[in-house]
């Protein structure tokens, strides 16, 4: 069973890798992994931006924030592991 985490408990200080990309791009781990999600959170921040946070059993953590303002809207990703753009 996946544990629910509140926004205030997301460990932003552990998410040292940071990426920005538009809606047409996606990212993959530089080192692929196979692990199950053990905790997650999702919702909207105080500005109306949608976010999701996930922790995997192997210790990987990822936070994705979808900015609703701007042209085009942007995705802001913070993680504790390296990501690369998909081709």
């Amino acid at each position: 069973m996946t544990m629910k985490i509140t926004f205030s408990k997301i460990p932003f200080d552990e998410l040292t890798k940071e990426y920005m990309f538009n809606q047409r791009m996606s990212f993959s781990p530089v080192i692929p992994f196979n692990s199950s999600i053990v905790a997650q959170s999702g919702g909207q921040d105080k500005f109306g931006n949608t976010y999701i946070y996930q922790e995997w059993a192997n210790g990987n953590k990822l936070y994705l924030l979808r900015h609703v303002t701007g042209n085009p809207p942007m995705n802001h990703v913070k993680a504790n592991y390296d990501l690369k753009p998909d081709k």
Side-chain angles (χ1 to χ4, degrees), residues 28-76:
S28 298
V30 170
I31 300 171
F33 63 89
N34 184 8
S35 186
S36 60
I37 295 172
V38 295
Q40 64 183 359
S41 179
Q44 288 188 329
D45 69 8
K46 62 184 177 181
F47 304 107
N49 300 310
T50 302
Y51 76 90
I52 188 166
Y53 171 76
Q54 295 178 325
E55 290 182 7
W56 285 269
N58 68 355
N60 285 352
K61 300 173 182 179
L62 180 132
Y63 172 81
L64 184 141
L65 179 69
R66 174 83 171 143
H67 293 274
V68 294
T69 59
N71 189 14
M74 297 295 286
N75 296 308
H76 185 188

Side-chain angles (χ1 to χ4, degrees), residues 3-4 10-11 17 20 22 25 27 32 36 41-42 48 50 56-57 64 66-67 69 73 78 80-82 87:
M3 182 176 72
K4 175 80 171 154
I10 296 174
K17 314 290 182 175
M20 294 286 287
N22 68 27
M25 292 178 68
F27 279 71
S36 60
S41 179
T50 302
W56 285 269
L64 184 141
R66 174 83 171 143
H67 293 274
T69 59
K78 292 184 175 193
N80 68 345
Y81 57 95
D82 292 315
K87 300 204 185 237

